[in-house]
Amino acid sequence: MALDLTTFLSDNAKSMRRSAIRDLLKVANRPEIISFGGGFPNAKTFPVDNLKEIINELLDEKPAQVLQYGSTEGSVALRTQIAKKYEKEGVKVGIDNILITTASQQALDLISRIFLNPGDTVLCGLPSYMGALQAIWSYQGRPVGIRHDEEAEAVVSALCSVGQKPKFIYAIPDFQNPTGVTMDLKRRQEIIDVARKYDLIIIEDSPYKELRYEGESYPTMYSMAPERVVLLGTFSKTFVPGFRLGWVLAPEEIIGRLIVAKQSADLCTPILNQEVAAKYMEKGYYDKNLQTTIDLYRHKRDLMHQYLTEYMPQGVTWTRPEGGLFLLVSMPEGLDAKELFEVAIKENVAFVIGEVFFCDGTGQNTMRLNFSYVSDEDMLEGVKRLGNAIRKLMDSKK
Amino acid sequence: MALDLTTFLSDNAKSMRRSAIRDLLKVANRPEIISFGGGFPNAKTFPVDNLKEIINELLDEKPAQVLQYGSTEGSVALRTQIAKKYEKEGVKVGIDNILITTASQQALDLISRIFLNPGDTVLCGLPSYMGALQAIWSYQGRPVGIRHDEEAEAVVSALCSVGQKPKFIYAIPDFQNPTGVTMDLKRRQEIIDVARKYDLIIIEDSPYKELRYEGESYPTMYSMAPERVVLLGTFSKTFVPGFRLGWVLAPEEIIGRLIVAKQSADLCTPILNQEVAAKYMEKGYYDKNLQTTIDLYRHKRDLMHQYLTEYMPQGVTWTRPEGGLFLLVSMPEGLDAKELFEVAIKENVAFVIGEVFFCDGTGQNTMRLNFSYVSDEDMLEGVKRLGNAIRKLMDSKK
């Protein structure tokens, strides 16, 4: 007797949405395709020699520790290094304010798990990171979008008036995914003021903050309101993504709840991976390598901007981020990036369709481009191909 | 304004239970304490030299791949090796039947997530693995216990008659945690027959099957009913726990649902860790090291049995498993292992209180002992201390 799965699935499972990004990356995996799709760091930034040195040292010095089970909250050495990193920025945190996660996606999952009941609303950027929307949907939460220039209080107060006060606000204040746009100090303060007034928690997702290529850094929202901000950090963009290491910085009582949730989610994050990252920071490799990464990505962002200027047809616009890995391209209204994708794949170039980041179903004319991953040569060729694809799509609509 | 967390927490969060095991391991972490608590492999079994060799090779050969993001379903190389392992046992599986997880605990979490609605029942061993109970509770599921010798059909039919048909059956057929007891072929067939009759999924959790020290192995329940069994495997007990690697073997449509759930849970399992495990199997190190692990643990189990025989007071009994890492000790009815724990900690010996494995709140007179982790000398001393602690508790009740 074959299984009819539909009779078994939970309401959570029915509410989950498959990642369009990850499916698309599979298509884009074909060697002839130049992909601006994934949020992949450039492999040139991977500190291979440092890693070999550190892994060999750790396996010599304390194999019984780094290969064994570890505590759910994470390595003391790594949490200590992370605390020091914030202290250098002037933010005082103890290691009991830090939970190590199996990268940031797990943090988004655990946070959604401990806060969301089915139907609960979450205030998100419009557009916002697809993986965060997925985590929210997977607990039957309901993301509600707010545009970058929309008044936060108006949106929250409207939601409250219909009994849908958000469970939390999800924000990526620095070089937002997918737009690359940064919240200025005034906007940060506005969001915090609203959160205080309506008693809301803020989730500050901060994977790109250290990857600033020009201009001055703004303070984290955590430093501005440590009593109600949960800050997510990750080693995926500034160290290596394959190690799957991230962290949560939050008030101790929230960390305590997240620890219980993580116990049943995966017991603990890989120990060797954590100890390697700790030693990598301790030896000063993190700061040193971060600087060369910033220099490389600044160059790539500039190049991307130059090539887009040269090869995009008239009517196409894009953001010009001061950091991060992405920019958002907009075609004239009425053109659909899903249709473009079909054309582009034939031209052997790929990107992420923008609408997956818009929880209200808009954004059809947009696409996210990553500029960190491809080589300079591929970037030139890829932008040319993309320009051709857009022209073909435009011509077909005439 | 300080945060009143209780107003924010989800019903899931309220339903979660903190792991008594992991809290207890913290107490047991003090160097003067001999702990039979954790399910820790012996550090002597960690293949440090093999690991150094393989990690250095991979970082030389394909750093850009092993340090980058990977696919959610997991490394093709590792899934291929796992499929080969089953083929050697005569079970034909394709790599599309396999999902790599961030160790087995994640598999338990994802399975509970895609199948359980609040209030759904799950049939579990009485006693059964605490981490599985935690995963079930964390989605507001309701574990219902069945004793090893209880008729499965009677229990399922009684549940169905009150509208509480189990969403799945959770079983650890080989050297069960915490008892060490194994289901014989007849019992396996009985459970499968009931699952087929009532159209139930079976979760076969199989972390210890390869660690058999005597007697003959039974077939996996998966091989007996591949259409409805989801098999969980792990590298934590036969390779290294610190790498956090496990897998799910299941019908493709279930794997498909688990992939979507894993996308939002942690995107992918660490890549280097996966590739190392694949190469470790490919080079034949896995099979070779497994044999020395079995020899070491057989010795330790025999020693544990001998010491318990010598040093336990009259009236104390224990299981004698043919494999695995644990045995369950029972004190005479009326004695409480929680009280014993207080006495034992003063004697500098620790264990896991048995009642955390009993979802019906029974098992107060039991405790789980691990025999894989401690040195031979510590095992002798620890069992002596435990015997003394039990005697003291018995005397205090006279």
Side-chain angles (χ1 to χ4, degrees):
Chain A
M1 184 168 70
L3 223 51
D4 177 12
L5 248 200
T6 51
T7 63
F8 289 97
L9 291 175
S10 66
D11 295 336
N12 281 344
K14 289 172 194 155
S15 166
M16 287 173 194
R17 302 201 195 169
R18 212 178 157 87
S19 166
I21 300 180
R22 296 191 75 77
D23 286 342
L24 187 146
L25 289 179
K26 287 200 174 168
V27 177
N29 234 348
R30 301 204 307 257
E32 66 275 20
I33 290 182
I34 294 174
S35 176
F36 300 120
F40 287 17
N42 196 291
K44 278 189 190 166
T45 67
F46 296 164
V48 181
D49 290 334
N50 297 337
L51 284 175
K52 281 167 74 173
E53 172 193 316
I54 292 173
I55 292 173
N56 286 305
E57 278 174 16
L58 287 170
L59 288 177
D60 283 336
E61 287 163 14
K62 43 180 183 179
Q65 184 192 326
V66 297
L67 300 173
Q68 193 53 275
Y69 287 103
S71 73
T72 303
E73 51 269 46
S75 147
V76 171
L78 183 55
R79 287 184 292 145
T80 303
Q81 288 300 321
I82 292 169
K84 277 190 185 164
K85 190 171 105 73
Y86 286 107
E87 247 174 78
K88 271 197 265 177
E89 297 173 17
V91 186
K92 195 147 179 57
V93 295
I95 67 166
D96 292 335
N97 293 113
I98 298 171
L99 169 70
I100 305 297
T101 57
T102 310
S104 264
Q105 188 64 45
Q106 181 178 59
L108 292 168
D109 177 58
L110 298 179
I111 285 165
S112 300
R113 185 184 309 201
I114 69 163
F115 289 132
L116 296 182
N117 282 329
D120 279 350
T121 61
V122 175
L123 200 63
C124 295
L126 193 68
S128 193
Y129 172 52
M130 169 75 186
L133 302 179
Q134 270 190 297
I136 293 163
W137 284 321
S138 117
Y139 295 94
Q140 304 173 62
R142 203 167 68 77
V144 174
I146 174 170
R147 288 177 192 284
H148 192 68
D149 53 5
E150 206 170 354
E151 201 201 322
E153 168 139 24
V155 178
V156 171
S157 125
L159 283 169
C160 288
S161 73
V162 291
Q164 298 187 345
K165 179 175 146 172
K167 231 18 181 331
F168 55 82
I169 298 174
Y170 173 73
I172 313 168
D174 298 279
F175 323 121
Q176 199 242 23
N177 182 354
T179 60
V181 168
T182 293
M183 286 185 191
D184 63 17
L185 194 60
K186 191 166 151 259
R187 178 63 165 177
R188 289 170 201 238
Q189 193 59 58
E190 180 198 341
I191 303 280
I192 288 169
D193 289 345
V194 170
R196 285 191 169 136
K197 177 166 173 188
Y198 290 88
D199 194 22
L200 304 173
I201 291 169
I202 297 170
I203 311 299
E204 177 180 21
D205 193 1
S206 189
Y208 318 110
K209 187 172 196 299
E210 291 175 293
L211 296 172
R212 174 173 277 280
Y213 315 134
E214 65 184 52
E216 253 184 76
S217 202
Y218 297 104
T220 58
M221 296 174 84
Y222 178 87
S223 69
M224 297 167 72
E227 85 285 2
R228 64 178 59 251
V229 175
V230 176
L231 175 67
L232 312 190
T234 178
F235 287 106
S236 293
K237 311 301 184 188
T238 53
F239 177 43
V240 290
F243 267 39
R244 314 304 298 128
L245 290 174
W247 66 90
V248 179
L249 185 57
E252 261 186 71
E253 72 249 61
I254 292 183
I255 294 291
R257 291 292 182 158
L258 291 172
I259 288 172
V260 176
K262 185 171 163 69
Q263 283 174 352
S264 77
D266 70 355
L267 282 182
C268 58
T269 294
I271 320 309
L272 179 62
N273 306 33
Q274 294 184 60
E275 294 294 328
V276 170
K279 218 163 177 177
Y280 182 76
M281 295 179 88
E282 205 181 298
K283 289 188 170 213
Y285 295 156
Y286 183 92
D287 290 336
K288 205 174 126 248
N289 196 44
L290 179 61
Q291 199 47 57
T292 58
T293 302
I294 287 172
D295 292 342
L296 177 69
Y297 290 174
R298 181 190 299 110
H299 161 76
K300 290 205 173 280
R301 182 210 52 172
D302 290 346
L303 218 53
M304 184 65 133
H305 185 61
Q306 179 193 326
Y307 293 156
L308 288 172
T309 307
E310 287 171 24
Y311 296 102
M312 282 299 115
Q314 238 188 343
V316 175
T317 60
W318 55 94
T319 54
R320 194 175 183 284
E322 297 187 325
L325 306 182
F326 306 110
L327 47 80
L328 194 74
V329 174
S330 300
M331 298 186 291
E333 286 290 337
L335 289 180
D336 189 331
K338 277 197 303 295
E339 286 181 51
L340 177 66
F341 191 80
E342 303 297 323
V343 183
I345 284 295
K346 281 178 200 147
E347 300 279 325
N348 289 327
V349 63
F351 53 82
V352 179
I353 293 161
E355 69 173 87
V356 302
F357 302 100
F358 288 79
C359 63
D360 67 348
T362 61
Q364 275 82 1
N365 62 321
T366 66
M367 68 197 99
R368 187 190 76 177
L369 301 188
N370 163 276
F371 53 78
S372 60
Y373 180 64
V374 298
S375 68
D376 292 359
E377 301 72 43
D378 280 358
M379 189 186 282
L380 172 59
E381 179 59 28
V383 172
K384 279 185 188 171
R385 290 178 188 173
L386 186 62
N388 286 339
I390 297 179
R391 261 177 225 103
K392 281 191 182 168
L393 180 70
M394 284 174 162
D395 288 348
S396 74
K397 298 288 165 191
K398 272 178 189 162
Chain B
M1 187 167 72
L3 224 50
D4 176 13
L5 248 199
T6 51
T7 64
F8 290 97
L9 291 176
S10 67
D11 295 335
N12 281 344
K14 289 172 194 156
S15 166
M16 288 173 194
R17 301 201 196 170
R18 212 178 157 88
S19 166
I21 299 180
R22 296 191 74 78
D23 286 342
L24 187 146
L25 289 179
K26 287 200 175 169
V27 177
N29 234 349
R30 301 204 308 256
E32 66 275 20
I33 289 182
I34 295 173
S35 176
F36 301 120
F40 286 18
N42 196 291
K44 278 188 190 165
T45 68
F46 296 163
V48 181
D49 290 335
N50 297 336
L51 284 176
K52 281 167 74 172
E53 172 192 315
I54 292 172
I55 291 173
N56 285 306
E57 278 174 17
L58 287 170
L59 288 178
D60 284 335
E61 286 163 14
K62 42 181 182 178
Q65 184 192 326
V66 299
L67 300 174
Q68 192 53 276
Y69 286 104
S71 73
T72 304
E73 52 269 45
S75 147
V76 170
L78 183 55
R79 288 184 293 146
T80 303
Q81 288 299 321
I82 291 169
K84 277 190 185 165
K85 191 170 104 73
Y86 286 107
E87 248 174 77
K88 271 197 266 177
E89 297 173 17
V91 187
K92 196 146 178 58
V93 296
I95 68 166
D96 292 336
N97 294 113
I98 298 171
L99 168 71
I100 305 298
T101 57
T102 310
S104 265
Q105 187 64 44
Q106 181 178 57
L108 293 168
D109 177 57
L110 297 179
I111 286 165
S112 300
R113 185 184 309 202
I114 69 163
F115 290 133
L116 296 182
N117 282 329
D120 279 349
T121 61
V122 175
L123 200 63
C124 295
L126 194 68
S128 192
Y129 171 52
M130 169 75 185
L133 302 178
Q134 270 190 297
I136 294 163
W137 284 320
S138 118
Y139 295 95
Q140 304 172 63
R142 202 168 67 79
V144 175
I146 173 170
R147 286 178 193 284
H148 191 68
D149 53 6
E150 207 170 352
E151 201 201 322
E153 169 140 23
V155 178
V156 171
S157 124
L159 283 169
C160 288
S161 73
V162 291
Q164 298 188 344
K165 179 174 147 174
K167 232 17 180 335
F168 56 82
I169 299 175
Y170 173 73
I172 313 167
D174 298 278
F175 324 120
Q176 199 242 23
N177 182 355
T179 62
V181 168
T182 293
M183 286 186 191
D184 63 16
L185 195 59
K186 193 166 149 261
R187 179 62 165 177
R188 288 169 203 239
Q189 194 59 58
E190 181 198 340
I191 303 281
I192 288 169
D193 289 345
V194 169
R196 284 191 170 138
K197 178 166 173 187
Y198 291 88
D199 193 22
L200 304 173
I201 290 170
I202 297 170
I203 310 300
E204 177 180 19
D205 194 0
S206 189
Y208 319 110
K209 187 173 196 300
E210 292 176 292
L211 296 172
R212 174 173 277 281
Y213 315 134
E214 66 184 51
E216 253 184 75
S217 201
Y218 297 104
T220 58
M221 297 174 83
Y222 179 86
S223 69
M224 298 167 72
E227 85 286 2
R228 65 178 59 251
V229 175
V230 176
L231 175 66
L232 312 190
T234 178
F235 287 105
S236 293
K237 312 300 185 187
T238 53
F239 177 44
V240 289
F243 268 39
R244 313 303 299 129
L245 290 174
W247 66 90
V248 179
L249 186 56
E252 260 186 73
E253 72 248 62
I254 293 182
I255 294 292
R257 291 292 182 158
L258 290 172
I259 288 172
V260 177
K262 185 171 162 70
Q263 282 174 353
S264 77
D266 70 356
L267 281 182
C268 59
T269 293
I271 320 310
L272 179 62
N273 306 32
Q274 295 184 58
E275 295 294 330
V276 169
K279 217 164 179 178
Y280 182 76
M281 295 178 88
E282 205 181 298
K283 290 189 170 211
Y285 295 155
Y286 183 91
D287 291 336
K288 205 174 128 248
N289 196 44
L290 179 61
Q291 199 47 58
T292 57
T293 303
I294 287 172
D295 293 341
L296 176 69
Y297 289 175
R298 181 190 299 111
H299 161 76
K300 290 205 172 280
R301 182 210 51 173
D302 291 346
L303 217 54
M304 184 66 132
H305 185 61
Q306 180 193 326
Y307 294 156
L308 288 171
T309 308
E310 286 171 25
Y311 297 102
M312 282 299 115
Q314 238 189 343
V316 175
T317 61
W318 55 93
T319 55
R320 193 175 183 283
E322 296 187 326
L325 306 183
F326 306 110
L327 47 79
L328 194 74
V329 174
S330 299
M331 298 186 291
E333 287 288 340
L335 289 182
D336 189 331
K338 278 197 301 295
E339 285 182 52
L340 176 66
F341 191 81
E342 304 296 322
V343 184
I345 284 296
K346 281 179 200 146
E347 300 280 323
N348 288 328
V349 63
F351 52 81
V352 179
I353 293 160
E355 69 173 89
V356 302
F357 303 100
F358 289 78
C359 62
D360 67 349
T362 61
Q364 276 82 1
N365 62 322
T366 67
M367 68 197 99
R368 187 190 76 177
L369 301 188
N370 164 276
F371 54 80
S372 60
Y373 180 64
V374 298
S375 69
D376 292 358
E377 301 71 46
D378 279 358
M379 189 187 282
L380 172 59
E381 179 59 28
V383 171
K384 279 186 189 172
R385 290 178 188 173
L386 186 62
N388 286 340
I390 297 179
R391 261 178 224 103
K392 280 191 183 169
L393 180 69
M394 285 174 161
D395 288 349
S396 75
K397 298 289 166 190
K398 272 178 188 162

